[in-house]
Amino acid sequence: MEIDETSSGAIEQILPTTNEEEMKNLMKDLDREQAYREHKCWRQWITVLVSTVFVLFQLYATLSGHVTAQVLRASHLAFVQLLAFFLFPASKKMPKNTLPWYDVLLGLTGAACWLYIVINFQMYAHGFPNTLVSRSGNNTVLDVVIGIIGILILFESCRRIVGLPIMLIAACFVVYAFAGKYLPGFLHHRGYSLQRVVCHLFYNTEGIMGTPIGACSTFIFLFILFGALLEKTGIGQFFIDLCNAIAGGASGGPAKVAVLSSALLGTVSGSSVSNTVGSGSFTIPMMKKLGYKGEFAGAVEAAASTGGQLMPPIMGAAAFLMAESIGVPYVTIVKAAIIPAILYFTGIFITVHLEAKKLGLKGLPREQLPKIGPLLLKSYMILPLVVIIVFLCLGKTAVFAALMGIVACLIIGIVTSVVDLAMGRKPTFGTKDIIDVICASARNIISVAIACGMAGIIIGIVTLTGVGLKLGAGLVTLAHGKLFWTLFLTMIASIILGMGAPTTANYLITSTITAGAIITCLYGQGSEIENVMKLPAHMFAFYFGIIADVTPPVALAAIAGAAIAKAKPMKTAVNATKLAIGAFIIPYMFVYNPKMLMINSSWASVFGIIATALIGMFGISVALEGYGFNFTGLFHSSGKSKALTLSFDLLERLLFAAAGLLCVIPETRTDIIGISMMVILIAYQIIVRRIKTNKNIER
């Protein structure tokens, strides 16, 4: 990872040399979507050509509005299937510089299956008789055969790129469509024919071409293009330098830089592993150099990078999907996500600080930090993010906001290049960068589109059989109607379903399968409620689906952090889970009291909730570390300090944890009890210390 000139000379004195090739190989090992072929010669030009046509078609469809939904979604999937087999080998161990004939055949066949839909729709639009559209509900044998081939090829591309968990879940749902008539109890249904299932999944907009692919082929694609452009403008390095200037000099500065930069960068990305490797290759070696243990350093980056998916305004594009799925304005989702995200990162930040103080770690010397002046001159780099947020808050669509963000990125790239030429430097944004952006955005959408297609299969079977309501009712029955146990079972299910899934697919799958159980338990089956009241259930499922990336045994983000830190993976995962403790507590709190999501609450009550919840996260962090109160050097290095430092035994730590939990619960009574408990514990420790000190003096 390149380091900007403003910081490279200073930081390289303490930063171990990072092997870029090693980081790339690590990404390929842990993140399936990064294990792509790097073609050369004619194969490279074919990749560039197909990617360019793909991107231009998507932009034309978005800007013109002349492409119907079915044609856009089917065309999107045709491009995705062609590129999937062209770029991704059948196994990660296979050579990355070859293109076997069977992958060419699979790619062309997969694309042809979806183009069959496009051609039929175009023929119908031009008045041809006996097309796929005109014979809807009376499909031919050819329709069914093409549908079966298309579905099987989609499953194979999922196995290669997204992984087995989602594929197996989707396969179980397909089997359920056929085998339901043999199942007992609430899972029983009358069963469906092969023709009905295949045509419902392949040709219907309630199946593979449903809402997930609809979102993927419109605003998600645009945000991935925006993210690729944003990376080329250098905003990632700008955020890292800015965070270094703010917190790099604090006690344990690099760990705080990891937390802050991941919160800023992770919201745009849709991959916890990519975030961990991208910023971790810079922050983890610095943390180790300053004295953090490898397991803790890797855990900090993993927990912070995973939390980036929970940070508004973009939340890895899940914010837009959530708004569309629930049927509430985008701004409502952003407002709801603010307090939980602040609490999550505050918990990590405080724990990191206490660990630094406990170990006696100092920050980087001020002369080795980036200067704030030059960074302020480059603050125009955040303009694209500001543009998107402003337009979204003004009520514009996600598509329009993404397009304006892309335009802002291009303007910044052009202006930067003009300035570089005027200064006699090589332009930082040229033709090669544009080609790289096109190829990166076309490649990055593949895993998301395939995961959305598999989510469409799950949703399609749910709509066909009505199993969604049955699963929700089944979970509630298993929990004997108790809300806490329903939440607990939903948590376990969401963590399992979220293992290894991209952020967007993660939300779609967890919300489809598990959120209904919470809604059923809260409001009763079949009850009519406001859309906004579904938000706590969807956020709960989403949180635990995302946190699967640091939860053992899979914990892909923690394993990535451990690999960079050269630490034990499971120990790193346990540390990351401890750091991310807020994500295991906060969802329970906002289900029990939706005011934490700013639902039916005033700003005055919201500020009160934030204040007491922050105190609560402090209490929980103190309980985890068994140490507290020396808060000098929070953002700047401190010299010799006589600030109060207290250590706590096991009982006191448990009491602090209980006090913290009481403060996090948004209720006045629990807040008073929690704060009172903390005051008593602190006073007790101070009195005991003074008594011991006086006795030592007398001796």
Side-chain angles (χ1 to χ4, degrees):
M1 188 174 188
E2 293 182 3
I3 299 174
D4 192 77
E5 291 177 3
T6 58
S7 59
S8 60
I11 293 177
E12 66 185 8
Q13 298 176 37
I14 64 159
L15 179 62
T17 303
T18 303
N19 189 324
E20 190 172 342
E21 191 64 31
E22 186 180 334
M23 292 300 105
K24 187 184 289 187
N25 291 335
L26 175 62
M27 286 286 290
K28 290 181 184 293
D29 287 339
L30 294 175
D31 197 346
R32 286 176 175 270
E33 60 188 274
Q34 298 299 322
Y36 55 86
R37 295 184 176 111
E38 298 185 37
H39 291 301
K40 304 294 181 184
C41 303
W42 62 271
R43 293 191 297 270
Q44 182 182 20
W45 289 109
I46 291 176
T47 305
V48 172
L49 178 62
V50 174
S51 299
T52 303
V53 174
F54 185 17
V55 172
L56 291 176
F57 168 76
Q58 288 286 156
L59 290 174
Y60 166 76
T62 302
L63 294 170
S64 69
H66 293 156
V67 182
T68 61
Q70 290 91 338
V71 171
L72 173 59
R73 296 174 189 186
S75 301
H76 183 80
L77 284 163
F79 278 111
V80 164
Q81 291 287 250
L82 182 61
L83 286 171
F85 290 98
F86 198 84
L87 289 173
F88 292 89
S91 169
K92 290 190 290 184
K93 296 179 181 179
M94 294 182 68
K96 301 295 190 294
N97 56 355
T98 61
L99 183 60
W101 65 268
Y102 53 81
D103 277 353
V104 175
L105 179 62
L106 283 170
L108 291 173
T109 304
C113 290
W114 294 105
L115 289 176
Y116 178 73
I117 297 176
V118 175
I119 293 168
N120 270 272
F121 265 90
Q122 293 300 323
M123 290 172 63
Y124 177 78
H126 289 86
F128 282 83
N130 195 29
T131 62
L132 185 65
V133 183
S134 60
R135 62 175 179 268
S136 177
N138 189 27
N139 297 92
T140 64
V141 174
L142 178 62
D143 295 340
V144 176
V145 170
I146 288 175
I148 292 172
I149 294 171
I151 291 170
L152 290 175
I153 290 176
L154 181 65
F155 268 88
E156 168 57 16
S157 58
C158 179
R159 183 196 67 80
R160 293 185 180 201
I161 303 166
V162 184
L164 287 174
I166 298 178
M167 190 193 83
L168 293 175
I169 292 167
C172 289
F173 272 81
V174 173
V175 171
Y176 173 72
F178 298 114
K181 59 185 177 182
Y182 304 111
L183 297 176
F186 71 89
L187 291 176
H188 178 81
H189 63 77
R190 62 187 176 87
Y192 298 90
S193 66
L194 178 65
Q195 178 182 346
R196 178 76 185 278
V197 172
V198 169
C199 294
H200 182 79
L201 293 180
F202 196 75
Y203 299 109
N204 200 320
T205 52
E206 292 182 0
I208 296 171
M209 290 196 298
T211 300
I213 282 294
C216 185
S217 60
T218 51
F219 56 80
I220 292 179
F221 182 88
L222 292 177
F223 273 98
I224 284 179
L225 177 60
F226 169 73
L229 276 168
L230 207 62
E231 185 179 348
K232 282 296 176 182
T233 63
I235 192 171
Q237 188 58 52
F238 170 75
F239 277 145
I240 290 175
D241 287 343
L242 181 63
C243 293
N244 260 302
I246 294 171
S251 300
K256 292 171 182 172
V257 171
V259 176
L260 295 175
S261 61
S262 295
L264 293 171
L265 291 169
T267 186
V268 179
S269 168
S271 171
S272 303
V273 177
S274 295
N275 292 344
T276 302
V277 175
S279 54
S281 60
F282 178 82
T283 58
I284 292 174
M286 289 180 67
M287 284 188 256
K288 287 187 68 180
K289 186 73 175 178
L290 285 184
Y292 282 107
K293 294 179 181 177
E295 289 83 4
F296 190 84
V300 168
E301 185 58 58
S305 292
T306 299
Q309 316 297 292
L310 308 172
M311 174 63 76
I314 296 173
M315 297 163 65
F320 311 110
L321 279 175
M322 201 176 295
E324 191 166 316
S325 297
I326 300 174
V328 298
Y330 162 80
V331 175
T332 302
I333 304 296
V334 172
K335 283 170 56 181
I338 287 174
I339 295 178
I342 290 173
L343 294 180
Y344 178 83
F345 280 101
T346 300
I348 299 176
F349 195 89
I350 293 173
T351 304
V352 161
H353 176 78
L354 294 177
E355 179 77 7
K357 283 297 183 183
K358 188 162 72 173
L359 297 176
L361 305 180
K362 296 189 183 213
L364 301 176
R366 194 164 285 280
E367 61 272 12
Q368 293 184 359
L369 296 174
K371 306 298 181 194
I372 196 69
L375 286 175
L376 290 177
L377 294 176
K378 295 169 67 177
S379 59
Y380 62 86
M381 286 187 172
I382 67 170
L383 178 63
L385 280 175
V386 173
V387 166
I388 281 184
I389 294 169
V390 168
F391 279 116
L392 287 171
C393 290
L394 289 174
K396 301 296 182 181
T397 65
V399 170
F400 181 83
L403 284 171
M404 292 301 99
I406 289 168
V407 170
C409 280
L410 290 172
I411 290 172
I412 286 176
I414 292 168
V415 170
T416 304
S417 296
V418 169
V419 172
D420 288 336
L421 287 171
M423 299 293 291
R425 298 192 299 259
K426 182 181 176 181
T428 54
F429 190 76
T431 306
K432 183 180 180 303
D433 296 298
I434 294 174
I435 294 173
D436 288 344
V437 165
I438 289 172
C439 291
S441 53
R443 184 177 64 243
N444 292 342
I445 195 66
I446 293 172
S447 64
V448 179
I450 290 171
C452 286
M454 302 307 285
I457 289 176
I458 296 170
I459 295 169
I461 299 299
V462 167
T463 59
L464 183 66
T465 64
V467 71
L469 291 174
K470 294 176 181 178
L471 284 174
L475 273 175
V476 173
T477 302
L478 193 62
H480 300 290
K482 303 296 183 183
L483 180 57
F484 175 81
W485 292 112
T486 301
L487 293 176
F488 181 79
L489 292 174
T490 303
M491 175 186 77
I492 300 300
S494 296
I495 290 174
I496 293 171
L497 292 169
M499 289 177 178
T503 300
T504 47
N506 195 319
Y507 165 69
L508 289 167
I509 294 169
T510 54
S511 62
T512 300
I513 297 175
T514 63
I518 302 173
I519 295 171
T520 300
C521 190
L522 284 171
Y523 306 106
Q525 190 167 351
S527 60
E528 293 293 328
I529 59 170
E530 290 183 68
N531 286 339
V532 73
M533 299 311 293
K534 299 176 184 176
L535 187 51
H538 282 251
M539 286 285 285
F540 186 95
F542 177 59
Y543 254 69
F544 285 109
I546 292 299
I547 212 64
D549 281 336
V550 295
T551 307
V554 177
L556 287 180
I559 291 172
I564 298 172
K566 294 180 173 53
K568 294 179 180 177
M570 281 304 104
K571 196 169 181 181
T572 303
V574 170
N575 274 289
T577 304
K578 184 178 79 170
L579 284 163
I581 191 68
F584 290 89
I585 298 170
I586 296 164
Y588 284 87
M589 300 301 105
F590 60 60
V591 169
Y592 277 103
N593 192 328
K595 286 183 180 180
M596 188 176 280
L597 300 182
M598 300 193 192
I599 297 174
N600 299 329
S601 61
S602 64
W603 281 106
S605 64
V606 166
F607 283 125
I609 290 169
I610 294 175
T612 54
L614 288 175
I615 295 171
M617 292 310 298
F618 162 72
I620 292 168
S621 298
V622 168
L624 290 171
E625 287 295 313
Y627 179 95
F629 301 104
N630 193 335
F631 267 74
T632 55
L634 189 60
F635 287 102
H636 298 287
S637 288
S638 57
K640 293 182 180 178
S641 172
K642 294 182 180 178
L644 179 63
T645 302
L646 301 176
S647 298
F648 302 96
D649 60 26
L650 179 59
L651 176 60
E652 290 167 334
R653 290 170 72 171
L654 290 173
L655 290 171
F656 251 107
L661 288 171
L662 287 169
C663 290
V664 170
I665 297 172
E667 294 286 349
T668 304
R669 182 174 57 184
T670 57
D671 292 340
I672 293 171
I673 296 171
I675 293 172
S676 300
M677 284 177 65
M678 286 193 201
V679 171
I680 292 169
L681 285 166
I682 295 166
Y684 171 77
Q685 266 281 340
I686 293 172
I687 293 169
V688 168
R689 275 190 52 174
R690 285 184 176 173
I691 291 171
K692 288 181 178 178
T693 302
N694 291 335
K695 284 183 178 179
N696 289 333
I697 292 172
E698 289 174 2
R699 289 176 184 172

